[in-house]
Amino acid sequence: MQSRLGDIVKLLPSELVWVNPDCGLKTRGWAETEAALKNLVAVARAARKEY
């Protein structure tokens, strides 16, 4: 996620970029969903500091 987000902010101003978890998590089990959301939150926090 972090690499992808880095690529995106090269193309768009960072103030236009939103990290959104709507990516098919509804079809996943809770353990997989929780892990994905924790990763997403960590990446979003790091990106706020970097960009």
Side-chain angles (χ1 to χ4, degrees), residues 8 10 14 17 22 24 30-31 34-37 40-42 47 50:
I8 291 169
K10 289 177 187 174
S14 61
V17 177
D22 188 19
W30 177 243
E34 184 178 25
L37 289 174
L40 183 135
V41 169
E50 186 174 345

Side-chain angles (χ1 to χ4, degrees), residues 22-43:
D22 188 19
C23 57
L25 293 177
K26 293 177 211 170
T27 63
R28 310 288 181 181
W30 177 243
E32 190 176 10
T33 299
E34 184 178 25
L37 289 174
K38 283 181 179 181
N39 189 29
L40 183 135
V41 169
V43 168

